C-alpha cells in the first residue's frame, strides 16, 4: 500500500465519491455528442463492435493501470511519473508522459469548451421555445445559423470556460462531488425517456439495425483508429485525468471493481444516446453522417414534437452541460495540480492561468466552423485536426505508455500491492492484458493506419 502518503490537493471522501468523480469525468460530450456522430460517420454496427472490443481489451486494463499509478504517486501526473520511475529505477524521462497528458488536456479542453458552449446556448433556445413544433429543416437552419456566428459561439465558450475554472479553483471534493451525485442519475433517466420516444417512431428498428448489425465492409483502417481513439477519449484515458483522480483515491479501495463500474456506466450512456438518436435521424430523413452537429440537429426535433418536450429539452441540455463540466474539470486538473505543486501558485491563480490559455486556443475551433472553415491542413479543418491529433494519436500513445510502464517497468510487487485484487488469477489476467494485449492492440492499429499491415 502507499503507506500513509496523501495528496496535498485533498482526497475523495469515499469510494463512492471516486466512482462519481471518475464517472463524471468519463461521461460527457464523448458519450452523447461524439459517439453518435462518429458512429454515423463510420457506418454503424461494425464500428460499434470494434469500439466495444477496445473498451474491454484496451480501455479497462489501462484504466486500472492509470488509476493505480495515480494512487501510488499521489501527485500530479508529471510528478507522479517522475517518482514512480525513480522508485522502479527507470529512466526519469518517463515524466514526459505526464507532459504529453497536460498538452493533450489543453488541446482537448479547447474544443470541448466550444462544443459545451453550443450546449449552453441550446439551453436558452430550449427555454425560449425555439424547438416547439419546428420541422427538421428549421432545426437545421437554427443550428447552422448559430455556429456561423463567431460572436455568439465565443460568448458561450467564454461562459463555459469561466464556469470550469471557477469549479476547478474550488478543488476536487467541494461542489463537484455533490453535484455529480444527482446529475448522473437524472441524465440517465432523461436518456431513457428519449429512448422511449425513439421506440415510438416507425424507424426504431432501422435505428437499432444501424447501430447493432455489423457490416464489416464499412470498416477502414481509419475507422478502427477512430474507434480505438474514442475508447480512450470516452474513458478519459491516456492524458492523466484518471491518474490525477486516482491520486485522490483513499487506500484500500478496490481499483478493479470501481474502474469496471465506471466503464460500464460510460458505455451504457453512449449506447443509450445512440439508441435515442438514430431512429430520429431516419424518421426525419437526416444524414447519419452529418458530423459534429448531429445531436443538435436531431434531438431538438424530438423535443419540439413530444408532450412535455419544452421541459425535457431544457433539462436535457442542462444535463449535457453538467456532464461536460464534470469532464472538463478533469481535463485541466493535471495541469493545475502541477502548477500548484511546482510553481507555488494558488489553486485560484493556476486555474485562471490555465483557463485563459485554453480559452484562447478554443478560438481556433470557433472559427473552424465559420470564418476559417475553408482553412484546411491535411484536408482537415482546425477542429478536425485537433480532434484527430488528440483522440486518435495523443491519447492512444499516452495509454500505450501507461500500459508499458505499469506492465513492464513498475515492480510487480508494487502493482500487486496497489491493486489488491481479491484473487491472484485476477491479477494475472490484468497483468497479461496490460503487458501484451493492450499495447499490442494499440500498436497494430497504428501499423494498420500507416499501411504497414
Ligand atoms: N471522457 C470525456 C467524455 O467522454 C472526455 C475526456 C477525455 C475527459 C479525456 C477527460 C480526459 O466526454
Amino acid at each position: 500500500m502507499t503507506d500513509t502518503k496523501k495528496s496535498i490537493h485533498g482526497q475523495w471522501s469515499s469510494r463512492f465519491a471516486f466512482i462519481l468523480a471518475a464517472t463524471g469525468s468519463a461521461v460527457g460530450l464523448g458519450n452523447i455528442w461524439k459517439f453518435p456522430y462518429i458512429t454515423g460517420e463510420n457506418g454503424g454496427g461494425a464500428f460499434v463492435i470494434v469500439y466495444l472490443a477496445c473498451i474491454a481489451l484496451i480501455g479497462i486494463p489501462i484504466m486500472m493501470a492509470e488509476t493505480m499509478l495515480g494512487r501510488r504517486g499521489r501527485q500530479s501526473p508529471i510528478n507522479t511519473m517522475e517518482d514512480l520511475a525513480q522508485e522502479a529505477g527507470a529512466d526519469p524521462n518517463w515524466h514526459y508522459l505526464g507532459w504529453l497528458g497536460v498538452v493533450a488536456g489543453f488541446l482537448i479542453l479547447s474544443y470541448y469548451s466550444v462544443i459545451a458552449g453550443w450546449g449552453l446556448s441550446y439551453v436558452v433556445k430550449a427555454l425560449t421555445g425555439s424547438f416547439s413544433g419546428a420541422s427538421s429543416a428549421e432545426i437545421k437552419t437554427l443550428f447552422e445559423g448559430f455556429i456561423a456566428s463567431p460572436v455568439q459561439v465565443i460568448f458561450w465558450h467564454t461562459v463555459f470556460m469561466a464556469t470550469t475554472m471557477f469549479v476547478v479553483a474550488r478543488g476536487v471534493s467541494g461542489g463537484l462531488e455533490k453535484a455529480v451525485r444527482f446529475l448522473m442519475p437524472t441524465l440517465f433517466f432523461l436518456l431513457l425517456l428519449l429512448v422511449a420516444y425513439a421506440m415510438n417512431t416507425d424507424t426504431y428498428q432501422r435505428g437499432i439495425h444501424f447501430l447493432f448489425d455489423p457490416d464489416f465492409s464499412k470498416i477502414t483502417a481509419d475507422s478502427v483508429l477512430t474507434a480505438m481513439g474514442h475508447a480512450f477519449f470516452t474513458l478519459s484515458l491516456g492524458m492523466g485525468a484518471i491518474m490525477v483522480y486516482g491520486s485522490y483515491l483513499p487506500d484500500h479501495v478496490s481499483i478493479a471493481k470501481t474502474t469496471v463500474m465506471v466503464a460500464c456506466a460510460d458505455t451504457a450512456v453512449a449506447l443509450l444516446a445512440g439508441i435515442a438518436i438514430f431512429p430520429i435521424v431516419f424518421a426525419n430523413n437526416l444524414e447519419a453522417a452529418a458530423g459534429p452537429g448531429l445531436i443538435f440537429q436531431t434531438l431538438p426535433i424530438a423535443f419540439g414534437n413530444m408532450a412535455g418536450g419544452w421541459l425535457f429539452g431544457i433539462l436535457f441540455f442542462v444535463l449535457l452541460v453538467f456532464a461536460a463540466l464534470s469532464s472538463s474539470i478533469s481535463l485541466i486538473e493535471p495541469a493545475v495540480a502541477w502548477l500548484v505543486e511546482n510553481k507555488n501558485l494558488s489553486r485560484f491563480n493556476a486555474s485562471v492561468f490555465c483557463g485563459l490559455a485554453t480559452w484562447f486556443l478554443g478560438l481556433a475551433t470557433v472559427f473552424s466552423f465559420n470564418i476559417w472553415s475553408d482553412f484546411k491542413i491535411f484536408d482537415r479543418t482546425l477542429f478536425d485536426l485537433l480532434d484527430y491529433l488528440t483522440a486518435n494519436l495523443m491519447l492512444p500513445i499516452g495509454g500505450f505508455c501507461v500500459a508499458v510502464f505499469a506492465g513492464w517497468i513498475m515492480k510487480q510487487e508494487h502493482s500487486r500491492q496497489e491493486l489488491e485484487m481479491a484473487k491472484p488469477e485476477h491479477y494475472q489476467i490484468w497483468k497479461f492484458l496490460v503487458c501484451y494485449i493492450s499495447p499490442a492492440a494499440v500498436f497494430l492499429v497504428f501499423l494498420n493506419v500507416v499501411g504497414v499491415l
Side-chain angles (χ1 to χ4, degrees), residues 132-185:
S132 156
S135 66
S136 57
E138 284 162 342
I139 296 289
K140 188 165 191 266
T141 315
L142 184 75
F143 175 72
E144 285 171 351
F146 169 66
I147 60 165
S149 155
V151 177
Q152 284 189 50
V153 181
I154 290 175
F155 173 77
W156 293 112
H157 163 51
T158 311
V159 175
F160 185 81
M161 209 54 231
T163 316
T164 303
M165 279 15 264
F166 178 75
V167 179
V168 173
R170 296 191 43 195
V172 286
S173 53
L176 170 69
E177 235 187 83
K178 291 190 196 79
V180 180
R181 202 168 283 239
F182 78 94
L183 290 170
M184 285 295 144

Side-chain angles (χ1 to χ4, degrees), residues 29-352:
L29 296 175
N31 309 60
I32 299 170
W33 161 74
K34 192 172 177 192
F35 172 74
Y37 95 73
I38 55 175
T39 301
E41 283 178 341
N42 290 281
F47 176 83
V48 174
I49 289 188
V50 178
Y51 157 74
L52 292 175
C54 290
I55 294 278
L57 294 177
I58 308 177
I60 294 180
I62 293 184
M63 196 169 193
M64 286 171 60
E66 218 183 295
T67 315
M68 172 197 72
L69 297 184
R71 184 165 70 182
R72 191 161 188 91
R74 290 252 183 259
Q75 296 164 75
S76 68
I78 297 173
N79 293 335
T80 285
M81 287 315 299
E82 193 164 306
D83 277 16
L84 294 184
Q86 200 179 21
E87 184 184 62
D91 193 318
N93 283 327
W94 274 101
H95 83 280
Y96 285 114
L97 177 55
W99 279 108
L100 178 75
V102 165
V103 175
F106 269 109
L107 297 179
I108 295 176
L109 185 56
S110 79
Y111 67 81
Y112 206 84
S113 165
V114 175
I115 310 296
W118 294 2
L120 263 176
S121 94
Y122 267 61
V123 172
V124 177
K125 291 193 190 357
L127 254 174
T128 53
S130 308
F131 312 145
S132 156
S135 66
S136 57
E138 284 162 342
I139 296 289
K140 188 165 191 266
T141 315
L142 184 75
F143 175 72
E144 285 171 351
F146 169 66
I147 60 165
S149 155
V151 177
Q152 284 189 50
V153 181
I154 290 175
F155 173 77
W156 293 112
H157 163 51
T158 311
V159 175
F160 185 81
M161 209 54 231
T163 316
T164 303
M165 279 15 264
F166 178 75
V167 179
V168 173
R170 296 191 43 195
V172 286
S173 53
L176 170 69
E177 235 187 83
K178 291 190 196 79
V180 180
R181 202 168 283 239
F182 78 94
L183 290 170
M184 285 295 144
T186 326
L187 181 67
F188 213 76
F189 168 76
L190 265 181
L191 278 173
L192 288 178
L193 191 99
L194 280 167
V195 168
Y197 174 85
M199 283 175 111
N200 281 318
T201 58
D202 307 336
T203 44
Y204 180 64
Q205 289 304 335
R206 206 174 140 200
I208 295 291
H209 173 73
F210 179 78
L211 207 52
F212 295 113
D213 276 350
D215 171 359
F216 282 97
S217 68
K218 291 191 176 143
I219 286 283
T220 62
D222 228 28
S223 38
V224 175
L225 177 68
T226 305
M228 179 183 77
H230 189 62
F232 283 99
F233 185 88
T234 192
L235 294 178
S236 306
L237 299 178
M239 55 70 62
I242 288 297
M243 198 184 289
V244 82
Y245 276 13
S247 75
Y248 309 142
L249 183 65
D251 291 343
H252 301 297
V253 168
S254 161
I255 291 180
K257 266 194 229 142
T258 34
T259 47
V260 170
M261 281 170 69
V262 174
C264 289
D266 184 79
T267 309
V269 172
L271 294 178
L272 283 177
I275 297 173
I277 286 163
F278 286 105
I280 305 175
V281 169
F282 297 128
N284 293 284
N285 286 321
L286 297 166
E287 190 62 62
L294 188 67
I295 65 159
F296 296 94
Q297 295 179 42
T298 48
L299 296 184
I301 307 176
F303 295 129
N305 294 290
M306 66 162 85
W310 177 74
L311 184 66
F312 293 137
I314 301 170
L315 263 178
F316 176 82
F317 284 107
V318 168
L319 288 167
L320 180 69
V321 170
F322 273 102
L325 188 64
S326 60
S327 302
S328 63
I329 47 189
S330 69
L331 279 162
I332 208 69
E333 180 66 21
V336 170
W338 182 80
L339 284 172
V340 172
E341 284 163 14
N342 290 49
K343 298 287 158 204
N344 223 349
L345 288 188
S346 66
R347 262 196 95 82
F348 182 83
N349 288 345
S351 306
V352 172

